[in-house]
Amino acid sequence: MHALHQVLHAFFNPHSFTLALPDVWAGFQVNLRMMFIAEALVLVFALFVAIVRGLPGRGAKPLRVLAIAYTDFFRGTPIILVTFIVGFGLPGLQIGFISSRSFTVYGIVALTLVYTAYVSEVFRAGIESVHPSQRSAARSLGLSYAQAMRYVVVPQAVRRVIPPLLNDFVGLQKDTALVSVIGVAEAASLSQQFSTQNGDFASYVVAAVFFILITIPLARFTDHLVAEREMRERAQAF
Amino acid sequence: MTDIASRNGAGSFVEIRGVSKWFGELQVLDDIHLNVEKHEVVCLIGASGSGKSTLLRCLNMLERIETGDIVVDGQSLTTGKVNVNELRRKIGIVFQAYNLFPHMTVLQNVMLGPRKVRGLSKEQSESIAHDLLHRIGLEAKAHEYPDRLSGGQQQRVAIVRALAMEPELMLLDEITSALDPQLVSEVLQLVRGLTEVGMTMIIATHEMGFAREVASKVCFLDGGSILEEGAPEQIFTNPTQARTRSFLARVLDAEKSA
């Protein structure tokens, strides 16, 4: 009984909730901004990396190698190290524009670098899943390689990979809290400050609830897309 | 045209000169020679794996040839100077598996070539597509996605998608082989219409009756080479090669029992 009471008091004190809420919410808005900006950048860069990796011909080999090296490096390096390298390394370089950004910007850069590597693999799998006969059909109409990719292959690939892509975005959203280690004042770090001042842990729970609240709709939306596709495929089989 | 000219193939719309091709160790085309004049309909017959499809795919450079040369409209495909996209504008190809673009409506499928390759306006491309769909009686399906259409309807859309490029040559690669028997005739009817307006075509087919009806020349392929070629009457009623005879006997037998 005593233990339960202690847990309730330490994590779920209603008074502490109310006190922590404004601070943590202010911090969470930083998380939201980082998520949206990083996700938009990741979509563009990841598609670019995936397309470069699939370029045909011997001439494009250096580009392909570069794309592979990029993906290998950023998928293999723990995100916290990338965050250190970007967040402490770039300011240390002292080159004007690059070195004078805010920690939030460095956080976004670190997230974008790492998740571009993950998501480019998702896009690549999608592009490879489009049957070669689609490319043949497009090319035999006289479309160039780039046109065939743009109008025929990539649109089909993107549709197919939306569920795994949204999965990666759930990871990205949570990792906005991780990059606070370099000093971004976001939900996790602000709730830690509040916890130290207030002497309990309710602020952590508040922050957790915020993250969960935006993850759940995304997860359900992904489920919905998957279920919808299954329905369609089953309908086609008949 | 003089005898010498026709023997050399000089001036033919399509000239295939000693073409061979290997997939790794496997030789799929073996010293193919064939001339196709404008408005001619050439039917390629032969068992699966005899090289019919590969030959068609070589003609629009979906496959590369190792030796020999192909000349289309006076332009050699092996010089390295040929603009592949320009060449393919002139050559329409229709595949066994339709290969419509599943993420586009029927109308968008037909519009894509005119819009992006011929560079026509959206309005012009749309009117070309509507016109073609109207002619094949599928205008009502213009805004449906391909998976809502029957196989025969999809294949007819695939044919007009190629026609929307106003090609000078059509390559048909066993376009009825994936269809249910009752859907074959609507597709053949459309092709028959094309022969009537004088479209130059090379048709790989298993439909012997159809080949006999529309072909100006029939080529029997066996093991990657043209074993026998001639007028349809001659090939079908009086083949000179034993292998042609046994192939035809097998196919016609199968058709009878079907």
Side-chain angles (χ1 to χ4, degrees), chain B residues 107 110-111 113-115 118 120-135 160-161 163-166:
Chain B
L107 186 73
V110 183
M111 279 173 64
R115 182 89 183 86
R118 291 173 67 192
L120 301 179
S121 72
K122 186 164 175 283
E123 291 71 28
Q124 283 172 305
S125 314
E126 228 174 67
S127 107
I128 289 172
H130 273 301
D131 185 46
L132 284 164
L133 290 171
H134 178 73
R135 266 195 261 166
V160 295
R161 179 176 71 179
L163 290 178
M165 292 301 298
E166 299 191 344

Side-chain angles (χ1 to χ4, degrees), chain A residues 134 139 147 151 156 236, chain B residues 88 100-101 103 116 147:
Chain A
Q134 286 287 309
R139 295 304 304 277
Q147 285 177 318
Y151 299 114
Q156 293 185 62
Q236 259 174 44
Chain B
R88 287 175 179 152
L100 292 178
F101 307 129
H103 61 297
K116 300 299 173 192
D147 61 2

Side-chain angles (χ1 to χ4, degrees), chain B residues 148-167:
Chain B
R148 307 283 299 168
L149 273 61
S150 75
Q153 291 172 334
Q154 289 190 50
Q155 193 59 295
R156 281 149 62 206
V157 172
I159 293 172
V160 295
R161 179 176 71 179
L163 290 178
M165 292 301 298
E166 299 191 344

Side-chain angles (χ1 to χ4, degrees), chain A residues 58-171:
Chain A
R58 255 197 308 192
K61 186 150 190 212
L63 289 173
R64 283 200 298 273
V65 168
L66 220 60
I68 293 170
Y70 175 88
T71 339
D72 284 353
F73 182 81
F74 283 104
R75 277 206 310 174
T77 314
I79 188 167
I80 196 157
L81 286 179
V82 176
T83 312
F84 287 153
I85 292 168
V86 172
F88 299 141
L90 292 187
L93 289 177
Q94 300 189 329
I95 27 181
F97 175 79
I98 295 177
S99 303
S100 57
R101 303 288 100 192
S102 71
F103 283 125
T104 313
V105 170
Y106 292 132
I108 292 172
V109 170
L111 285 167
T112 307
L113 284 172
V114 170
Y115 276 91
T116 292
Y118 281 114
V119 174
S120 78
E121 288 294 282
V122 171
F123 276 135
R124 187 166 73 103
I127 287 171
E128 282 173 5
S129 79
V130 176
H131 198 274
S133 63
Q134 286 287 309
R135 251 176 249 232
S136 300
R139 295 304 304 277
S140 61
L141 278 178
L143 294 172
S144 66
Y145 178 86
Q147 285 177 318
M149 287 300 279
R150 173 158 173 218
Y151 299 114
V152 175
V153 178
V154 169
Q156 293 185 62
V158 168
R159 259 159 251 227
R160 279 180 211 187
V161 300
I162 286 173
L165 186 108
L166 293 181
N167 229 4
D168 275 349
F169 276 1
V170 170

